[in-house]
Amino acid sequence: MSLIIKLKWFIKQRWIHYLIGVSLLIIANLAFLIPPRFIGKTIDQIRSETFTADKLSNSVILLATLSCSLYVIIFFYHYLLFGNAIQLEKLLKGRLMRHLTQMTPSFFQRNRTGELMALVNNDIPFIANIAGGGVMTLVFTFIGTVIVFVAMIVYVDYKLMLASLLPLPLLAYTVSKLGVVVRRRFKDVQEAFGHMNQHVIESISGLRVLRSYVQERKDIEAFERVTDDVMKKNMKAAFTNTLIQPVIMTVVGFSYVIGNGYGSYLVFHNQITLGQLITFNMFLGLIIWPMVYFGEFVNMLKQGSASLERLEQSMEQQPDVVDANELVPVSVPTSIEMKQLTFRYPGASSDSLRNVSFRIEQGQTLGIVGRTGSGKSTLLKQLLRQYIIEPQRLFISDVPIEQVALDRVRSWIGYVPQDHLLLSKSIRDNIAMGNPEATDDEVLRAIELSCLKEDIEQMSEGWDTIIGESGIMLSGGQKQRMAIARALLINPEILILDDVLSAVDAKTESLILKNIRQQTAGRTTFITAHRLSAVSHAHWIVVLDQGQIIEEGTHEQLLYRNGWYKEQYERQQMEALSEGKEAL
């Protein structure tokens, strides 16, 4: 019952629908009493030889009218109550989606994608079912049963009713014990289903790698072990579920035995009529379905409770980074500065950035280079405010970034990460994702700036070509340039390019960088790269090693210092000359 109490906020929203639906359900339960009562009186009239042809005609008309009326009533209360379930499912999925979009990366490190999908596809529908089928079953079980019991007392005999109820305490005790087991086992089922989802996602997304290493058979075997675990836990849950209905039917059977035995005794001693005994048996038959529904309700309640517990565990997790209580309005990022910033990922044993300091003004470009794993991408992520950092270490327009609204900061940024998010839509839709209202001319301009126009023209449907899931039909260079076009389309105040030219040739790289400089004149740009030619035009360059700045300056200054930058630059120049000679 605690689950229904937790859903009272939704019941208050839809109280009119619930009031009408429950009222119709009560009317239906009252109408179900008419045929047993009517048939019992008819039998007594037949025995007393007072039943006539007119009474037979009236009986047929009455029962036919009652059947048609019940059809309409049942249709509407089903429509109203199950419509509420659909509305709740929509609301919960919307809330979960909004919650997920607010979460920072640490949340997704703790919660795997497969488990989150299980919440959407399995847990929320189970919770929503309580708002529809659960409420209907609850009303039908308790109010319907009470109505029948009252009818037994009024129209038959209270002693016969009390005798028939003797087995019910055993039913309540057994079902409550089995319900605890059902909840625990169903929770195990949902967790196993989440693991299976995760395995499927990883297998499909990594299918190319699996095939290249000829690991298909091993992956299938691993998947079979996962599905075996899901099956075993489902079988355990199903076994517990199946115990409930036999218990209910057995108890109802005992009620029938008591009712018929004691009822026959009362008829024999003329305390009730034969028609009343038949009416009582039909009333007892009406109790069977509420009892059966009670078993279904227990299963539904326990499954919904386990699902709600899993959903609440996810919804209770809050984003690591939130807006400060007192925010400072900043209209334009006129400068960006780090002061001795040190950062460590949650759960990591060492710092990823140590005492990083730099300052660039609006319109300047900062180049960030260094060995793989030196902290280049980590530095850029500090601007996105995905993780908590020490206060008074990162400033925008000389204001600590923690005092600037999150939405404001992110609205300035056009971010092109190393891993590109591409949707299974057309090329145009993917580029216009950040600005769906962009005109065709604006999209075409972004395509030209990213040197993607010729590639698109060679495709059969141009920019209406569907690129497949994660851009499966595109090359690495095409994916990178499409991501660049997406960022340029929104014309950001701060453009962040995280090693996004690694898959294009040097000539295309040079042209793209030239276009970017022209397009973002007066805007701030951050570029990380392994190919130093991509940052040679930058106003300031920092060289990272193990999270620390070991060199910094302009391109010319770094070449003059004879450090890592010069050594790497000369090596890349020699490799480029060697490749040119081989091409000749």
Side-chain angles (χ1 to χ4, degrees):
M1 296 299 292
S2 62
L3 175 58
I4 294 180
I5 293 174
K6 289 180 178 179
L7 294 178
K8 64 181 181 181
W9 61 270
F10 177 75
I11 295 174
K12 287 181 179 179
Q13 285 184 14
R14 307 276 296 179
W15 69 272
I16 294 179
H17 296 79
Y18 278 110
L19 179 62
I20 297 173
V22 170
S23 299
L24 291 174
L25 183 54
I26 294 173
I27 292 171
N29 277 279
L30 290 171
F32 289 148
L33 300 177
I34 297 176
R37 174 66 176 156
F38 196 81
I39 291 172
K41 290 179 65 175
T42 300
I43 290 174
D44 286 339
Q45 289 174 355
I46 292 173
R47 289 191 67 192
S48 61
E49 298 182 351
T50 58
F51 192 68
T52 64
D54 290 338
K55 290 182 178 180
L56 176 62
S57 299
N58 292 335
S59 299
V60 172
I61 293 171
L62 175 64
L63 292 176
T65 303
L66 181 63
S67 297
C68 294
S69 300
L70 279 173
Y71 173 85
V72 175
I73 292 171
I74 292 171
F75 169 81
F76 277 106
Y77 78 65
H78 270 84
Y79 176 79
L80 289 170
L81 295 179
F82 284 100
N84 287 338
I86 295 171
Q87 288 291 329
L88 178 59
E89 183 175 350
K90 176 180 179 295
L91 283 173
L92 290 179
K93 287 182 176 180
R95 285 187 177 185
L96 179 60
M97 190 62 187
R98 286 192 296 272
H99 180 71
L100 295 179
T101 57
Q102 294 171 357
M103 291 297 101
T104 48
S106 57
F107 172 85
F108 297 98
Q109 292 171 2
R110 297 190 300 267
N111 301 271
R112 296 186 297 181
T113 304
E115 294 171 349
L116 297 176
M117 288 183 62
L119 284 177
V120 175
N121 296 327
N122 276 35
D123 290 305
I124 288 179
F126 274 118
I127 298 169
N129 196 29
I130 297 295
V135 171
M136 184 186 74
T137 305
L138 180 65
V139 174
F140 195 79
T141 298
F142 290 99
I143 295 182
T145 302
V146 169
I147 289 173
V148 174
F149 284 161
V150 171
M152 286 179 173
I153 296 172
V154 173
Y155 296 120
V156 186
D157 186 83
Y158 77 94
K159 294 178 291 184
L160 182 59
M161 186 270 292
L162 291 175
S164 300
L165 296 183
L166 289 176
L168 292 186
L170 175 63
L171 173 65
Y173 174 79
T174 306
V175 169
S176 65
K177 291 296 183 182
L178 290 174
V180 174
V181 180
V182 167
R183 179 177 179 177
R184 184 179 67 249
R185 292 188 172 177
F186 182 76
K187 188 175 181 181
D188 293 340
V189 168
Q190 293 298 81
E191 290 176 354
F193 185 80
H195 295 323
M196 184 181 71
N197 270 353
Q198 185 66 27
H199 187 102
V200 172
I201 291 170
E202 291 174 352
S203 295
I204 293 176
S205 60
L207 190 58
R208 290 180 176 179
V209 177
L210 287 173
R211 286 177 176 173
S212 64
Y213 285 94
V214 197
Q215 294 297 306
E216 298 97 326
R217 183 179 296 277
K218 288 186 178 180
D219 187 67
I220 291 172
E221 292 173 354
F223 181 70
E224 288 178 351
R225 289 193 294 271
V226 173
T227 52
D228 282 343
D229 182 56
V230 174
M231 181 192 69
K232 289 176 182 177
K233 289 178 177 176
N234 267 300
M235 291 295 291
K236 287 182 179 180
F239 175 78
T240 308
N241 284 343
T242 54
L243 290 177
I244 294 178
Q245 293 302 336
V247 168
I248 293 174
M249 299 306 295
T250 301
V251 171
V252 172
F254 280 123
S255 294
Y256 263 115
V257 171
I258 295 172
N260 278 285
Y262 185 53
S264 299
Y265 171 83
L266 295 177
V267 171
F268 184 76
H269 287 84
N270 295 319
Q271 295 185 26
I272 61 173
T273 66
L274 177 63
Q276 286 179 306
L277 178 60
I278 292 174
T279 297
F280 180 83
N281 275 284
M282 294 183 72
F283 282 160
L284 206 57
L286 292 177
I287 295 178
I288 291 178
W289 284 112
M291 292 296 180
V292 172
Y293 283 149
F294 178 69
E296 293 293 334
F297 177 69
V298 170
N299 288 339
M300 196 183 304
L301 197 62
K302 296 304 179 182
Q303 291 173 355
S305 296
S307 293
L308 183 60
E309 184 178 337
R310 282 166 46 83
L311 181 62
E312 286 178 337
Q313 288 174 354
S314 291
M315 295 292 288
E316 286 171 359
Q317 299 181 58
Q318 297 300 314
D320 299 330
V321 182
V322 294
D323 281 328
N325 294 328
E326 296 183 5
L327 299 175
V328 177
V330 179
S331 57
V332 178
T334 56
S335 65
I336 297 175
E337 182 178 11
M338 281 189 183
K339 292 182 179 180
Q340 300 295 308
L341 187 144
T342 297
F343 173 76
R344 178 180 297 185
Y345 283 106
S349 57
S350 60
D351 295 331
S352 297
L353 295 175
R354 287 183 289 175
N355 300 320
V356 175
S357 299
F358 66 82
R359 179 184 177 92
I360 59 171
E361 304 296 332
Q362 184 179 17
Q364 293 184 338
T365 297
L366 177 69
I368 307 167
V369 296
R371 295 183 177 89
T372 300
S374 60
K376 300 186 295 296
S377 297
T378 302
L379 189 153
L380 295 180
K381 289 176 182 177
Q382 307 315 303
L383 297 170
L384 302 173
R385 296 203 64 192
Q386 295 181 340
Y387 298 95
I388 297 175
I389 60 174
E390 293 181 68
Q392 304 289 322
R393 298 295 181 185
L394 178 57
F395 299 82
I396 294 184
S397 299
D398 297 319
V399 175
I401 195 170
E402 58 269 15
Q403 295 181 15
V404 183
L406 281 168
D407 290 342
R408 186 63 175 160
V409 173
R410 291 169 182 168
S411 69
W412 290 328
I413 295 175
Y415 177 49
V416 186
Q418 295 181 29
D419 300 323
H420 315 295
L421 171 63
L422 296 177
L423 308 176
S424 183
K425 295 183 177 182
S426 68
I427 293 174
R428 189 197 187 285
D429 290 339
N430 271 277
I431 293 174
M433 186 178 73
N435 182 14
E437 305 301 323
T439 64
D440 288 349
D441 289 340
E442 291 171 335
V443 175
L444 182 59
R445 174 62 178 164
I447 290 172
E448 291 174 343
L449 291 172
S450 59
C451 299
L452 195 60
K453 184 177 180 181
E454 292 184 5
D455 298 72
I456 293 176
E457 289 175 346
Q458 294 175 5
M459 298 180 183
S460 57
E461 298 181 31
W463 65 12
D464 292 322
T465 302
I466 304 299
I467 62 174
E469 188 173 359
S470 299
I472 192 171
M473 65 168 289
L474 302 178
S475 67
Q478 289 171 333
K479 291 179 182 179
Q480 288 184 338
R481 283 176 286 160
M482 189 175 296
I484 292 171
R486 176 190 293 167
L488 293 176
L489 182 63
I490 64 174
N491 197 21
E493 293 289 342
I494 303 171
L495 178 63
I496 300 178
L497 305 176
D498 189 3
D499 196 20
V500 295
L501 297 170
S502 58
V504 300
D505 59 82
K507 181 180 179 181
T508 304
E509 174 194 273
S510 177
L511 184 56
I512 292 174
L513 290 172
K514 178 183 177 182
N515 293 339
I516 289 175
R517 287 197 297 272
Q518 293 175 351
Q519 177 69 11
T520 60
R523 308 299 173 95
T524 307
T525 305
F526 290 79
I527 300 178
T528 71
H530 287 284
R531 205 153 53 196
L532 301 187
S533 58
V535 299
S536 60
H537 69 285
H539 297 86
W540 198 252
I541 302 170
V542 296
V543 181
L544 292 179
D545 185 31
Q546 296 183 352
Q548 290 182 302
I549 296 178
I550 59 172
E551 297 178 55
E552 60 181 314
T554 64
H555 174 68
E556 292 75 17
Q557 289 171 345
L558 290 172
L559 290 179
Y560 180 76
R561 290 176 185 173
N562 296 319
W564 180 91
Y565 185 90
K566 179 181 180 181
E567 178 184 345
Q568 190 72 7
Y569 182 78
E570 290 178 346
R571 181 182 294 114
Q572 291 180 5
Q573 290 295 101
M574 291 177 63
E575 289 174 355
L577 288 173
S578 177
E579 290 174 1
K581 290 178 180 179
E582 289 179 3
L584 291 175

